[in-house]
Amino acid sequence: MPSDVEKWKSEVYGNDILDHLYEFAEEGWESIPGDEHDAWFERFKWWGLYHQRNGQESYFMMRIGTPNGVLKPGQTEVVADIAEEYATGPASNPEFGDSWVDWTTRQSIQLHWIKLEDVPEIFEKLDEVGLSTQQACGDSWRNIVGCPVAGKDKHEHVDALPVAMELHDAFKGNEEHTNLPRKWKVSVTGCREGCGQGDINDLAFEPATKEIDGEDVRGFNVRVGGGLARNEPRLAKNIDVFVTPDRAAEVAGGISALFREHGDREDRYNARIKFLMDEWGPEKFRRVLQEDFVDFELETAGEDLRDEYSYNSGYANGGHSDHVGVHEQKDGNYYVGLNVLVGRMGTDDTAELARVANEYGSGEIRVTQRQNVLITDVPEENLDALLEEDLLEHYSPDPHPFMRGSIACTGTEFCSLSIVETKNRQVRFARWLKENVELPEGVEDFHIHLSGCTASCAQPQIADVSLRGMKTRKDGEAVEALDIGLGGGLGENPQFADWVKQRVPVDEVPGAIENLLANFEERRNGDETFREFVERTDEETLAELVEPEETSYEDPMMHNTKMTWYPYADDDGMDASPAPTDREDKPLPADD
Amino acid sequence: MSVALRTLDDGAWISVNDTREVSVSELWRFPGGNFCSCDLSDVVVEGFVETGVDGRTVEVRAYGQCIACGAKATTDWLPVGRVVDGEFRDVDRESVLCPQVAPAATAAAHR
């Protein structure tokens, strides 16, 4: 029997949702029938709107898709303006103030506290500069990710940006691909470092060379079925297909159609294409693709570049691990990667980022999968002045490794799925570690990813230290806790972290990392990286090296933040919530 | 009276009449036996697997992990609330929960 979600989707979905959304916006929050909330909130996702969690009724998270993380000149300032005007709520965040912009691990943008009544105005402002929330969430083609310096990278194998943009143009609003069994995440990578992180996507195009008719042709190998969510992480499988850039959209459309026809619509837990790949295997997948979904003969896979992959790998093989710092582009200009701790940037700072990018570069900003931003197209003669800007003191191109390596998802501040507080906690962790813990000599990359639940939006399984939200009891009281995993990373041979220590109370996690690093330093062979050390150490020993301990770190959010209406409110109890509210954040009268 | 009962958000919430009422991440205690070898399982609820009603009692089967012994499993049917006059009322889930036999009205409860 199809799920409730499939029933709702069969009634109204895709572009058709927009008229209803505008009608509800016009008439106000209360016009959504109470017994249709679940259905409409599910549908609104397709237009990039997630209803926030309990205690925050009538407020939405809005996701803006920026293909390949590219914000064209003129777009960043509009995002800042929209955040300033519309993304403020009834309470402040102690670290980030009243409004901010979140740069996400899928090179998108998230805003919070959005009122339904403001959505048409926001959509109009976004549309004026060529931005959209269409399919940013929901069961369809999500934001397409890739190497954030595609087209500018000095060493790239193939410029993948035109392909990413072609896929974006072809499959956003395309009714043939509007309603898929589940979300559809696509990565297009042309660089040598593997910055597109194709291994953890449903569909990945990866750089390759294939000899065709005696000539070496550059293009992509195709992998399918990666993903991290729900305790079921999978690496994308090689389906033995090479495709040229001009035929990538055709093959992508075939694979998307295959998913549409063969994906599981009865059980959403089993709906992602990784489970179809489990069932079929790559050989059958390729055969069905060839026979039923593509009109030309597929080439077999070409020679890939995976042995050069360095991004998020935990290896020191000469390639870069992120895009932070000053780097020369192939046109002789430079891009400057700024570290944005946990991906959250205040609204004023975002406006300042736009100004600085306009003054010293082309005005373009690019977002990375490590929640950072790049100012591109900076002539050499502008570099010194750019590096002197106040903005770069806080968002440094040369940050401390603990600041540089920190990623966090949204967490219980807004998200229905998360089990623990994340972003502010990761900020506190990073600051404490920076002040109190010495990294072993020469360690400049040390990635700590904190995800509030198994949905894995912070990509915890591919970090040096993986943190995942949990609960435990401490002194008899239920407290927020984290599972600790070690040794994950991408690269030529990607590995997911082993969860070696479970349910560590959150106030003991910084001490656990401090002890782990001391143990690593003591046992380290030469200049091996942390990932290399983990790989040669058995799991039992690793568990012993993680020694949770209370330290000077104090965590103010040990309690169940999920049961607050907003964890940072003076009175955080559910009964103190003003929600649901009207457009001006004034509480609406209760139904009865 | 028909009750709209469903899991939402990838099994993270139980929705009753279009309102999210019961969430994962709670710690539930109940007699061990079928779940793990502990006398009293103390389980972090990680995902809801099934929902149903037995009379007026809303029940679920949930996937989770015992924080005492580390065992991972799916619970028997456990009561999480009652529907009274069309409104959901929590049972005290801080107390020890009593497993139920499978609710007969599971299918009928879903709209």
Side-chain angles (χ1 to χ4, degrees), chain A residues 298-574:
Chain A
L298 295 165
E299 298 281 354
T300 57
E303 188 176 341
D304 65 39
L305 285 73
R306 291 176 65 87
D307 61 346
E308 295 183 49
Y309 283 10
S310 57
Y311 189 80
N312 224 356
S313 72
Y315 295 125
N317 65 353
H320 58 228
S321 203
D322 57 32
H323 296 87
V324 174
V326 180
H327 304 271
E328 190 175 3
Q329 299 175 182
K330 65 182 176 188
D331 63 1
N333 289 324
Y334 288 78
Y335 70 86
V336 180
L338 308 186
N339 185 61
V340 185
L341 184 57
V342 302
R344 182 165 287 181
M345 182 176 272
T347 297
D348 292 346
D349 291 340
T350 307
E352 182 66 359
L353 175 69
R355 182 194 68 76
V356 167
N358 282 321
E359 186 165 340
Y360 301 103
S362 63
E364 180 190 75
I365 295 292
R366 295 198 178 186
V367 186
T368 83
Q369 292 187 53
R370 295 199 55 78
Q371 300 181 323
N372 294 321
V373 292
L374 317 179
I375 299 170
T376 60
D377 310 322
V378 181
E380 188 172 9
E381 61 268 26
N382 288 355
L383 274 177
D384 287 346
L386 168 59
L387 296 171
E388 288 297 312
E389 284 283 346
D390 289 346
L391 183 76
L392 275 65
E393 277 186 32
H394 189 63
Y395 304 98
S396 174
D398 185 23
H400 188 283
F402 285 129
M403 299 290 173
R404 184 174 189 152
S406 293
I407 284 182
C409 69
T410 299
T412 50
E413 184 179 8
F414 298 112
C415 179
S416 281
L417 278 67
S418 185
I419 296 173
V420 299
E421 185 217 25
T422 54
K423 277 202 192 290
N424 287 32
R425 174 167 284 139
Q426 183 78 326
V427 170
R428 297 193 298 271
F429 281 178
R431 285 187 188 142
W432 188 89
L433 290 167
K434 181 183 170 186
E435 286 167 16
N436 294 280
V437 178
E438 286 280 322
L439 278 155
E441 192 179 333
V443 175
E444 292 176 0
D445 288 303
F446 191 75
H447 294 175
I448 304 175
H449 297 187
L450 168 55
S451 220
C453 72
T454 57
S456 302
C457 298
Q459 303 171 351
Q461 299 95 330
I462 54 170
D464 291 307
V465 172
S466 313
L467 303 175
R468 182 174 65 189
M470 251 292 159
K471 278 290 183 57
T472 194
R473 291 187 198 277
K474 183 166 179 169
D475 304 326
E477 295 291 316
V479 297
E480 297 198 350
L482 297 171
D483 287 343
I484 299 179
L486 300 178
L490 296 178
E492 182 182 9
N493 297 305
Q495 289 287 330
F496 296 131
D498 283 330
W499 297 98
V500 301
K501 205 80 168 182
Q502 299 191 317
R503 301 178 302 283
V504 178
V506 286
D507 61 336
E508 299 177 27
V509 169
I513 296 172
E514 180 180 28
N515 292 332
L516 172 67
L517 281 167
N519 286 325
F520 164 48
E521 187 165 29
E522 195 179 307
R523 291 162 176 77
R524 190 181 187 196
N525 283 343
D527 59 357
E528 70 180 346
T529 67
F530 184 76
R531 181 172 172 191
E532 289 164 341
F533 165 72
V534 170
E535 282 176 345
R536 68 170 175 82
T537 307
D538 66 78
E539 194 172 327
E540 196 175 327
T541 306
L542 287 171
E544 290 169 4
L545 300 183
V546 181
E547 302 170 82
E549 184 181 10
E550 289 183 8
T551 59
S552 61
Y553 173 84
E554 291 183 8
D555 200 301
M557 295 287 153
M558 292 282 284
H559 59 302
N560 190 347
T561 55
K562 193 163 193 156
M563 296 312 292
T564 66
W565 78 269
Y566 187 64
Y568 314 116
D570 291 337
D571 183 353
D572 66 3
M574 280 289 181

